[in-house]
Amino acid sequence: MADAANAMTAPLIVSSLAHDIHAAAACWGLQRAGVASRWIAGWHEGAPTLEIAPDAAPTVDSWGPDGTPRSVWFRRPMPLATLPNVAESDQRFVGDEWRRFAGNLHAVAGDIAGPLWVNPPASALRAEHKLVQLQAAAQLGLPFPATLMSSDPARIR
């Protein structure tokens, strides 16, 4: 019986952008290096089957036909604009429920045992905020243009 490390397969890239040039470049680079990879556009039908329960660690029932990936790169998280196979009249309700599930998933997905999470979803989501990026740059001493975020139109002017 193979050990867990040998049972792991190609890296998995999870990106919610259908035309993500960075995910495409990563797949191309991995392929050029002789490493197969898999790219899925978010958690949807055909993606890994996930379960979250408050009394246990999050688990993946199935990573799909390729098995458990060696690593997961979670990229550009975004909610789906419309959900497939959902009646138009139910889109809002189902969309709200899906966003709640996805938020819970993102909060704990980095705890899923098995693959190396290149950037755990909770960290990826936090990094999507420009103010967080600018604060990190300031702490590291990186220069950036003077920036103001304000709800005061006079200050912005």
Side-chain angles (χ1 to χ4, degrees):
M1 184 171 155
D3 64 23
N6 291 334
M8 294 194 178
T9 62
L12 174 65
I13 299 170
V14 180
S15 174
S16 53
L17 301 175
H19 302 347
D20 187 338
I21 61 170
H22 297 97
C27 286
W28 176 84
L30 287 165
Q31 182 180 14
R32 295 277 310 219
V35 178
S37 62
R38 183 172 170 221
W39 173 10
I40 62 171
W43 305 114
H44 57 76
E45 191 174 330
T49 304
L50 307 153
E51 291 189 8
I52 306 169
D55 58 344
T59 61
V60 176
D61 181 48
S62 169
W63 281 101
D66 299 328
T68 303
R70 285 183 287 205
S71 58
V72 178
W73 181 30
F74 186 74
R75 182 148 161 74
R76 301 307 296 234
M78 298 179 163
L80 296 171
T82 59
L83 296 154
N85 304 319
V86 176
E88 186 177 338
S89 60
D90 295 332
Q91 283 287 331
R92 184 173 179 178
F93 172 77
V94 174
D96 287 346
E97 292 301 308
W98 174 251
R99 280 185 279 288
R100 284 185 187 90
F101 172 77
N104 281 282
L105 169 64
H106 297 155
V108 299
D111 298 334
I112 295 172
L116 164 71
W117 286 82
V118 174
N119 58 335
S123 299
L125 289 165
R126 182 169 162 72
E128 287 292 312
H129 299 285
K130 187 59 71 180
L131 184 56
V132 171
Q133 295 172 14
L134 293 174
Q135 287 176 330
Q139 289 171 355
L140 294 170
L142 299 173
F144 55 88
T147 305
L148 171 68
M149 294 181 183
S150 175
S151 61
D152 183 350
R155 289 276 296 141
I156 293 171
R157 280 191 215 68

